[in-house]
Structures are given as structure tokens and as C-alpha cells.
């Protein structure tokens, strides 16, 4: 109604719910999500930094490896030049000087030189020329296989035929020194390996044996010791070697000069070629020798039986 004190009080209770996006747990959730996002971002960036670091390390390692390989090639080429200079300066120039002097002497004084002395001089000139030819062949073979990028293919071949080719080349030299070449090889023995490198290895083994043997027999033996291991041995009755000489030959790039072997002709290049090619063949070299009692040189390598 109207008028003073003409009213009535009523009490009404109600509540207003807080929106979920304004609740404390939502704020806490948002905070946790922000922290989780920061942590995820940190981990992702860390992984990216680690990946970038590994990639850079890989690039640096690759470049370092390439530089090392190039440095090794340069060092190897320098070593080749050094060896060739040493060989040419001593074992090629000296014989050439002898051939020149002996030939000039024969030409100018042939009427005064006795026939026997002329025959001896001509024989020495022929032998020297032959030594130079063998040395030149060795140098060319060595240089030929210094390129590690050469693409070679393994082949199946008969071992006896390979050895016959080598003995056919060196047989004349052995005959001149009255040396006997004996082979003990199964005619049916065939292997699967690199043909040309193995032929050069056998050539150098036999050439060394002939070079340092004055009389007697040189034996060549070849067998399959295991189902896939080929072994070839060359034994001679030559001057032999001391343990120190064997150690020097086996340990590195040591070149035996003529003066190291009691005035015997030789430069040791053959053993360097043998060791270099055995790396390609996956083989090993062993030497048994006694001073004055000859030498036995054995090479072993993996080689599946030829098909």
C-alpha cells in the first residue's frame, strides 16, 4: 500500500557460479600449459642445436678425412718420388754410366783389347742391360698400381698356367746362371683372385730368388691350405738374409740398396711392389732365411677355389 511503514520485507537467497575460464584451476592449467610449451620449445631447440652441431661435426670430420686422404696421397706421391730418385740415381744411372764407358772403350780400343776381355765386357754389358730392363719393368708395374682407384675384377684361373707364364719370362735368366726352376703345383689348382697383380707378385718373388742365387735350385710351391686360403712359396739356395734385413723388409717402405747385400745387384723395389699388391689381394708375406743358406718366402691370401 501507500503510506509510512506500509511495506513488507522478503529475503531471497541465490548464488552466481564462477565461469570455468575464471576458475583457479583453469588459471593453473593455463600456467602449466605455458610451462609445458616453454619446456617443449626448449627441448626442440636443444635438439635442433644438437642436430646442427652433429651435422657440423660430421661435415668437419668429412672435410678432415678428405684433407687427411689428400695429405696421404701427397705424402705417398712424395714418397714415390723420393724412392724413384733414390733408385734412378743409384741403380739406373750407375749401370748406364758403365754401359757408356764400356761401349766407348770397346769402340775406341777394340783393336788393342784382347778377344777374351772383349767377350767378358760384352757379357757384362748384356747382363747390365738385362738388369736395367727388369728394373724398368718393376718400376712401371709399381707406378701402374699406385692408383688405388683402379677398377679390377677378380677372375678364376689356373695357378700352374700363371706360374708357367712367369717362369717362361724369367727362365732364360735362370738358365744363364745355370739355375734349376722346379714347380710343385697341382695342375688342377684354380683360384678366384686378381690375376694380373698376383702374376706381378710371383714375378717379383721369382726374380728376387734368381737375382740372389748363384747356383742350385729354386722351388715354387702352391697349395690351398684351407678351403679358401691360397698359399704360394718360393724357396732358393741363395745368399740368404739376416734377421735384421728381414725385419727391415717386412716393417715398412725400406729399400735395399745394392750396397746392403754384399755387392749383390738389387734395390729391394720388388718387395715394396709385393707388399703393395698383397694389400690389394688381402694377403700376407712371411720370410724364413738364414745367411748363406737361402730363403723361403711365402705369401698367403684369401682365394675361393676357381670355378
Amino acid at each position: 500500500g501507500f503510506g509510512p511503514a506500509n511495506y513488507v520485507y522478503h529475503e531471497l537467497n541465490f548464488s552466481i557460479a564462477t565461469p570455468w575460464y575464471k576458475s583457479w584451476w583453469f588459471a593453473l592449467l593455463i600456467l602449466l600449459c605455458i610451462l609445458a610449451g616453454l619446456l617443449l620449445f626448449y627441448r626442440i631447440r636443444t635438439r635442433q642445436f644438437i642436430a646442427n652441431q652433429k651435422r657440423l661435426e660430421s661435415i668437419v670430420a668429412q672435410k678432415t678425412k678428405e684433407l687427411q686422404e689428400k695429405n696421404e696421397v701427397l705424402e705417398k706421391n712424395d714418397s714415390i718420388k723420393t724412392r724413384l730418385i733414390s733408385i734412378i740415381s743409384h741403380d739406373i744411372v750407375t749401370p748406364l754410366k758403365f754401359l757408356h764407358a764400356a761401349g766407348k772403350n770397346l769402340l775406341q780400343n777394340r783393336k788393342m783389347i784382347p778377344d777374351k776381355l772383349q767377350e767378358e765386357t760384352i757379357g757384362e754389358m748384356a747382363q747390365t742391360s738385362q738388369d736395367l730392363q727388369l728394373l724398368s719393368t718393376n718400376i712401371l708395374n709399381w707406378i701402374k698400381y699406385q692408383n688405388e682407384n683402379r677398377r679390377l675384377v677378380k677372375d678364376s684361373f689356373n695357378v700352374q698356367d700363371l706360374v708357367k707364364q712367369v717362369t717362361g719370362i724369367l727362365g732364360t735368366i735362370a738358365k744363364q746362371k745355370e739355375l734349376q726352376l722346379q714347380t710343385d703345383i697341382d695342375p688342377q689348382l684354380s683360384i678366384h683372385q686378381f690375376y694380373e697383380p698376383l702374376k706381378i707378385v710371383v714375378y717379383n718373388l721369382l726374380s728376387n730368388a734368381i737375382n740372389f742365387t748363384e747356383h742350385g735350385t729354386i722351388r715354387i710351391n702352391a697349395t690351398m691350405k684351407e678351403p679358401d686360403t691360397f698359399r704360394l712359396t718360393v724357396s732358393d739356395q741363395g745368399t740368404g738374409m739376416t734377421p735384421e734385413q728381414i725385419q727391415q723388409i717386412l716393417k715398412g717402405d725400406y729399400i735395399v740398396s745394392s750396397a746392403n747385400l754384399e755387392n749383390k745387384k738389387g734395390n729391394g723395389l720388388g718387395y715394396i711392389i709385393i707388399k703393395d699388391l698383397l694389400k690389394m689381394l688381402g694377403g700376407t708375406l712371411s720370410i724364413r732365411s738364414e745367411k748363406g743358406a737361402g730363403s723361403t718366402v711365402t705369401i698367403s691370401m684369401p682365394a675361393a677355389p676357381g670355378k
Side-chain angles (χ1 to χ4, degrees), residues 7-287:
Y7 52 84
V8 178
Y9 285 100
H10 292 280
E11 186 175 308
L12 181 64
N13 296 319
F14 65 92
S15 64
I16 300 176
T18 305
W20 61 270
Y21 53 83
K22 290 185 178 181
S23 61
W24 65 269
W25 58 266
F26 181 74
L28 180 61
L29 181 61
I30 293 297
L31 179 60
L32 292 175
C33 289
I34 293 174
L35 292 175
L38 292 174
L39 180 61
L40 180 62
F41 176 78
Y42 172 77
R43 289 189 175 181
I44 291 174
R45 293 296 294 171
T46 302
R47 288 181 180 178
Q48 289 178 345
F49 286 137
I50 293 174
N52 290 335
Q53 183 179 2
K54 288 183 178 179
R55 185 169 63 253
L56 290 174
E57 289 177 352
S58 177
I59 294 173
V60 171
Q62 182 64 29
K63 294 298 182 181
T64 303
K65 183 179 179 182
E66 291 176 1
L67 290 174
Q68 288 177 344
E69 290 176 352
K70 290 180 180 179
N71 187 49
E72 288 175 0
V73 170
L74 292 174
E75 289 179 353
K76 188 173 184 180
N77 291 337
D78 185 64
S79 176
I80 293 171
K81 292 177 182 178
T82 302
R83 295 179 198 168
L84 289 178
I85 290 172
S86 173
I87 293 169
I88 291 172
S89 64
H90 185 275
D91 295 285
I92 292 183
V93 173
T94 300
L96 287 176
K97 287 180 179 179
F98 164 74
L99 289 175
H100 172 73
K104 185 177 181 180
N105 186 47
L106 283 176
L107 183 63
Q108 294 178 348
N109 304 307
R110 61 182 181 277
K111 294 182 180 180
M112 296 181 290
I113 300 176
D115 292 341
K116 184 177 181 180
L117 183 58
Q118 288 189 33
E119 291 179 1
E120 291 178 356
T121 304
I122 293 173
E124 291 179 359
M125 292 174 67
Q127 181 62 44
T128 301
S129 301
Q130 187 178 66
D131 293 338
L132 284 172
Q133 184 267 328
L134 293 176
L135 178 57
S136 301
T137 301
N138 258 349
I139 292 175
L140 291 175
N141 286 333
W142 184 40
I143 295 175
K144 178 181 177 181
Y145 286 96
Q146 289 301 307
N147 183 4
E148 297 179 355
N149 296 323
R150 288 178 56 86
R151 294 185 177 180
L152 298 176
V153 178
K154 290 184 178 181
D155 195 11
S156 297
F157 53 87
N158 184 276
V159 176
Q160 190 179 67
D161 291 342
L162 181 146
V163 173
K164 280 184 178 180
Q165 289 189 21
V166 177
T167 55
I169 297 172
L170 298 175
T172 303
I173 302 175
K175 188 175 181 181
Q176 290 175 352
K177 299 183 70 173
E178 298 182 354
L179 299 173
Q180 293 184 357
L181 301 180
Q182 293 184 358
T183 59
D184 182 14
I185 303 173
D186 183 357
Q188 304 301 320
L189 177 59
S190 295
I191 62 172
H192 191 73
Q193 253 293 0
F194 296 119
Y195 179 84
E196 191 65 26
L198 180 58
K199 180 180 176 182
I200 295 174
V201 169
V202 176
Y203 173 90
N204 280 282
L205 289 174
L206 190 56
S207 177
N208 284 341
I210 293 173
N211 199 25
F212 296 106
T213 304
E214 297 301 326
H215 57 79
T217 302
I218 297 174
R219 293 179 173 84
I220 307 147
N221 175 269
T223 57
M224 291 291 293
K225 287 298 182 181
E226 297 175 6
D228 58 352
T229 301
F230 172 70
R231 182 173 296 176
L232 184 139
T233 301
V234 176
S235 302
D236 63 58
Q237 298 173 326
T239 57
M241 292 178 280
T242 64
E244 290 76 15
Q245 287 174 329
I246 295 174
Q247 184 179 6
Q248 288 174 329
I249 288 173
L250 294 178
K251 73 177 182 180
D253 299 335
Y254 177 75
I255 290 184
V256 184
S257 68
S258 302
N260 294 120
L261 293 170
E262 299 176 355
N263 297 324
K264 298 292 181 181
K265 295 179 180 178
N267 48 61
L269 182 61
Y271 276 115
I272 293 178
I273 295 175
I274 290 170
K275 289 186 294 182
D276 282 350
L277 294 183
L278 281 178
K279 293 178 183 177
M280 182 187 305
L281 296 166
T284 58
L285 172 70
S286 63
I287 302 174

